[in-house]
């Protein structure tokens, strides 16, 4: 979920009719060369360019793929929240050796998978219609990379922000596993979520701002992944940029700065909200 500038060109009456017909269900919008997924007019859940369905259009998804700096070759990737499948499609294309599982609770979202060119289920890619919290609780030491991007019409899914859920995420990861969470910067409870996350992961948590919106991206490591030196992250970023269309050196700088200065809800040196 993101809050980039809207692309809508409809009249007020057309938009009102669209919302009335959707009645709280997800809907798609085609415009300006993209297809986007929405629950309402104020936020964009996902966005895709039909001619490049594997491209990461929204900045927060590109920031989440900074996980490659910490684990460049995850073997088992799990995602909570399908949306338009941006992260799952990217991983399916650029990490061909990885097995990918996606848990999505809303069957109406899954029903739109063909509109977003999400790959069919296969031996290495599967979409499960299941509650994300329940799905993670059933895993144990299996997941190398866990993405949590679970939003519904009301915002951040409450079951994906509890202490129990973060504890279950920690238990679901392999010894060097990594959890990456998309958090709405507009959520007034974000500090509580991050406090819980720190308790689950022994404060092995780094938070940076999304590339193009107010969202915050939290990285939590079960092992020592976040302790890598900035020089090592930058060297890895340069190497990975030869294979991935991502600005990973920028993300490497921001990860290192957040860890070094203890930024809590922001990666901007001029702001005054810090970790305690």
């Amino acid at each position: 979920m993101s809050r980039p500038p809207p692309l809508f060109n409809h009249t007020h009456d057309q938009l009102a009719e669209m919302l009335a017909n959707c009645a709280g269900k997800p809907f798609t919008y085609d415009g300006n060369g993209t297809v986007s997924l929405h629950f309402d007019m104020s936020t964009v859940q996902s966005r895709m360019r039909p001619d490049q369905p594997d491209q990461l259009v929204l900045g927060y998804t590109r920031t989440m793929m900074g996980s490659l700096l910490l684990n460049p070759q995850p073997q088992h990737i799990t995602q909570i929240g399908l949306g338009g499948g941006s992260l799952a499609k990217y991983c399916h294309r650029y990490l061909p050796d990885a097995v990918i599982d996606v848990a999505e609770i809303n069957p109406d979202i899954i029903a739109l998978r063909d509109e977003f060119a999400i790959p069919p289920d296969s031996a290495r890619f599967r979409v499960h219609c299941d509650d994300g919290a329940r799905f993670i609780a059933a895993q144990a030491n299996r997941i190398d990379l866990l993405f949590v991007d679970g939003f519904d019409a009301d915002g951040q899914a409450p079951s994906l922000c509890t202490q129990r859920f973060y504890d279950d995420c920690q238990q679901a990861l392999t010894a060097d596993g990594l959890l990456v969470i998309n958090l709405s910067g507009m959520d007034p409870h974000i500090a509580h979520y991050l406090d819980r996350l720190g308790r689950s992961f022994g404060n092995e948590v780094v938070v940076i701002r999304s590339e193009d919106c107010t969202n915050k991206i939290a990285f939590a490591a079960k092992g020592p992944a976040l302790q890598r030196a900035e020089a090592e992250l930058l060297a890895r970023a340069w190497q990975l940029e030869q294979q991935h269309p991502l600005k990973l050196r920028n993300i490497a700088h921001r990860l290192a700065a957040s860890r070094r200065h203890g930024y809590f809800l922001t990666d901007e040196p001029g702001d005054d909200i810090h970790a305690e």
Side-chain angles (χ1 to χ4, degrees):
M1 196 259 327
S2 181
R3 289 180 180 268
L7 295 180
F8 299 105
N9 298 316
H10 289 76
T11 67
H12 180 273
D13 289 343
Q14 287 173 324
L15 292 176
E17 182 180 359
M18 180 186 295
L19 287 174
N21 291 336
C22 292
K25 291 186 176 183
F27 62 92
T28 62
Y29 174 82
D30 296 4
N32 294 351
T34 68
V35 180
S36 51
L37 176 68
H38 303 262
F39 285 112
D40 56 37
M41 309 308 293
S42 64
T43 58
V44 178
Q45 301 297 319
S46 188
R47 183 169 286 155
M48 178 190 76
R49 292 190 174 93
D51 59 337
Q52 296 178 288
D54 303 317
Q55 184 183 49
L56 297 174
V57 178
L58 296 180
Y60 87 85
T61 60
R62 297 192 293 271
T63 305
M64 292 181 79
M65 284 309 305
S67 58
L68 294 170
L69 295 167
L70 307 171
N71 187 346
Q73 294 182 324
Q75 295 300 298
H76 187 186
I77 300 171
T78 295
Q79 180 175 337
I80 305 302
L82 176 64
S86 300
L87 290 169
K89 287 184 294 184
Y90 184 92
C91 292
H92 185 263
R93 174 177 176 179
Y94 288 97
L95 298 171
D97 294 328
V99 173
I100 302 164
D101 286 294
V102 183
E104 170 58 55
I105 194 172
N106 190 338
D108 293 323
I109 292 286
I110 297 175
L112 297 172
R113 66 185 293 173
D114 290 343
E115 296 192 41
F116 288 92
I118 295 172
D121 286 357
S122 66
R124 61 174 293 256
F125 186 93
R126 185 172 178 82
V127 176
H128 308 261
C129 188
D130 199 355
D131 176 85
R134 181 172 58 204
F135 187 84
I136 289 300
Q139 315 298 312
N141 302 311
R142 297 185 63 244
I143 301 171
D144 298 306
L145 176 58
L146 173 56
F147 293 119
V148 176
D149 188 17
F151 290 81
D152 56 27
D154 298 317
Q156 208 100 36
S159 64
L160 304 182
C161 305
T162 67
Q163 189 68 65
R164 173 64 183 273
F165 175 69
Y166 293 144
D167 288 347
D168 287 342
C169 287
Q170 199 271 354
Q171 291 296 313
L173 295 174
T174 56
D176 293 316
L178 184 70
L179 168 65
V180 185
I181 308 176
N182 177 32
L183 294 166
S184 171
M186 306 299 290
D187 192 320
H189 304 296
I190 186 172
H192 297 299
Y193 304 154
L194 293 172
D195 183 61
R196 295 167 189 165
L197 190 62
R199 288 199 294 270
S200 295
F201 283 83
N203 291 318
E204 286 294 313
V205 178
V206 170
V207 183
I208 63 175
R209 190 170 59 189
S210 171
E211 183 177 318
D212 66 352
C213 65
T214 61
N215 288 21
K216 310 298 180 185
I217 308 301
F219 298 81
K222 190 169 183 176
L226 289 170
Q227 299 302 317
R228 288 186 172 86
E230 184 172 6
E232 182 181 354
L233 291 177
L234 288 170
R236 179 173 283 181
W238 184 88
Q239 184 179 34
L240 287 168
E241 284 177 351
Q242 313 311 305
Q243 304 144 19
H244 293 270
L246 300 168
K247 297 178 181 179
L248 292 169
R249 279 172 288 179
N250 176 273
I251 298 174
H253 279 302
R254 290 190 288 137
L255 283 170
S258 180
R259 184 184 61 204
R260 183 168 57 248
H261 297 292
Y263 301 141
F264 184 38
L265 299 182
T266 179
D267 57 332
E268 293 294 335
D271 290 329
D272 59 1
I273 302 177
H274 302 283
E276 296 180 355

